[in-house]
Amino acid sequence: MTQKLIIDTDCGVDDAIALLMALADPAVEIVGITCVSGNVTLDHVVQNVPIVLDAVGAGPIPIFRGAERPILAPLYHASDVHGEDGLGDAGFPRSTRPISDEHAALAIVRLAREYPGATLVALGPLTNVALAMAIEPNLPQLLGQSVIMGGAVRALGNTSAVAEFNIYADAEAAAMVFERGLNPTMAGWELTVETPMFWPRWDAMTAQAGTVGADFVVPMLEDLVRRSRERERPGILLPDPLAMAVVLDPDCASSFTAAVAVDTGWGPGRGLTAVDVRGNSKAAHNARVVTAIDTDRLAALLERAFRMSSPR
Ligand code: BDR
Ligand code: CA
């Protein structure tokens, strides 16, 4: 039986790669893609998801428009990383795929009821997921599992000194999700930094790619790759693909469970994911923290995605 996936995304460049990884996997069926403001504006996200689906000629996967802004925080984007349009400003043609009238939060609830045991993969700020849990408190019980890209588990953030983007951008939503029992598996920022796809391997996999890799991934990442090389990164960082790898190949990951609390204060700790490694708080464990991912297995998932052919 295929694993059903509900993917929530703020579709920037690494979300796009994560989507391609899922689209390339015959063992999963994407039953819905829900869009949230994050890397770029919601309008861009809603344009980007269909562009990714067009790149591989995917079937009619339902796409839902979700939260336009965080629960309480001001809007926060990351177009410096993803380009103004969120797909590297590579000039991909706009898609004519339809966007559903149903709100993303309602769609998450409906799809979880329709496909009990489905996997929720959240690749952006957790606004839609928090709203869905407010509507349906039993969402965690309906889902089989949830995997998020989010958190800085040793407080080495990419957005503030201590916070990772997806949590920082909607800390209230993240706090709701952790406190109300979603029990997510977290692929966080430190894991991302520790799991670069080193340049020789990245260069080889893009050189040997099919048309999806050559005509979609390479132009989309041109700017990011150039900037990453200029900054002397050892390879490309792939936050959302790591979360997707945990879903598609669970044995590729090592992890432990812990109590995690999110700082929603407005001081320097905002968006911190405090992981109680030593059990000092005596709080119940409410998350699984991924500590390592096998790079060979990640590379295999990427290679399969990049080898796909674009429709003519
Ligand atoms: C996360 O923020 C975005 O830039 C990425 O898509 C990823 O979800 C990394 O902090
Ligand atoms: Ca993302």
Side-chain angles (χ1 to χ4, degrees):
M1 216 178 62
T2 55
Q3 180 180 194
K4 311 291 185 202
L5 297 192
I6 305 166
I7 303 177
D8 189 73
T9 174
D10 59 339
C11 202
V13 294
D14 63 317
D15 303 66
I17 295 176
L19 285 171
L20 294 177
M21 290 162 68
L23 289 162
D25 191 335
V28 302
E29 180 191 355
I30 305 173
V31 294
I33 302 178
T34 54
C35 301
V36 67
S37 165
N39 288 326
V40 285
T41 64
L42 182 64
D43 283 343
H44 277 309
V45 176
V46 169
Q47 282 168 26
N48 292 349
V49 169
I51 290 173
V52 179
L53 299 186
D54 283 355
V56 300
I61 297 171
I63 304 168
F64 305 90
R65 191 179 165 91
E68 192 141 0
R69 30 190 343 117
I71 303 266
L72 199 58
L75 275 170
Y76 193 80
H77 300 303
S79 18
D80 50 323
V81 178
H82 300 268
E84 280 305 315
D85 69 359
L87 292 182
D89 296 324
F92 299 121
R94 277 181 79 149
S95 172
T96 54
R97 281 177 193 255
I99 306 298
S100 167
D101 289 338
E102 188 180 16
H103 192 279
L106 294 171
I108 291 172
V109 171
R110 180 179 56 75
L111 290 167
R113 288 179 182 148
E114 216 167 297
Y115 301 101
T119 295
L120 173 66
V121 196
L123 305 175
L126 291 161
T127 322
N128 287 339
V129 180
L131 292 172
M133 289 181 73
I135 295 163
E136 174 49 277
N138 278 329
L139 186 68
Q141 287 70 44
L142 293 168
L143 294 167
Q145 62 163 341
S146 56
V147 178
I148 68 168
M149 191 285 139
V153 296
R154 294 198 298 278
L156 297 170
N158 64 344
T159 297
S160 75
V162 300
E164 178 278 328
F165 176 86
N166 287 340
I167 305 296
Y168 183 89
D170 196 344
E172 282 73 19
M176 285 167 70
V177 161
F178 280 92
E179 283 170 25
R180 295 182 177 176
L182 188 69
N183 207 12
T185 296
M186 311 164 61
W189 182 250
E190 294 89 341
L191 176 76
T192 303
V193 173
E194 286 160 11
T195 322
M197 193 51 66
F198 291 111
W199 295 122
R201 192 155 201 183
W202 176 258
D203 291 342
M205 73 171 73
T206 49
Q208 289 154 15
T211 45
V212 165
D215 300 342
F216 184 71
V217 175
V218 169
M220 175 176 74
L221 288 182
E222 192 182 323
D223 249 26
L224 182 63
V225 165
R226 184 184 40 75
R227 279 182 280 121
S228 304
R229 287 188 199 264
E230 278 168 12
R231 291 174 64 188
E232 299 189 353
R233 292 258 193 215
I236 188 157
L237 300 185
L238 299 164
D240 293 339
L242 295 182
M244 192 58 80
V246 173
V247 173
L248 302 179
D249 181 9
D251 292 341
C252 78
S254 316
S255 61
F256 67 92
T257 66
V260 176
V262 178
D263 188 333
T264 53
W266 294 93
R270 183 170 175 78
L272 169 77
T273 41
V275 180
D276 188 4
V277 179
R278 286 182 221 87
N280 293 338
S281 69
K282 307 279 183 266
H285 291 189
N286 61 349
R288 177 170 285 282
V289 177
V290 179
T291 52
I293 291 211
D294 182 319
T295 318
D296 290 340
R297 294 170 82 143
L298 171 67
L301 295 171
L302 291 168
E303 281 159 9
R304 179 173 64 183
F306 297 174
R307 271 199 306 266
M308 287 190 289
S309 298
S310 312
R312 290 177 175 277

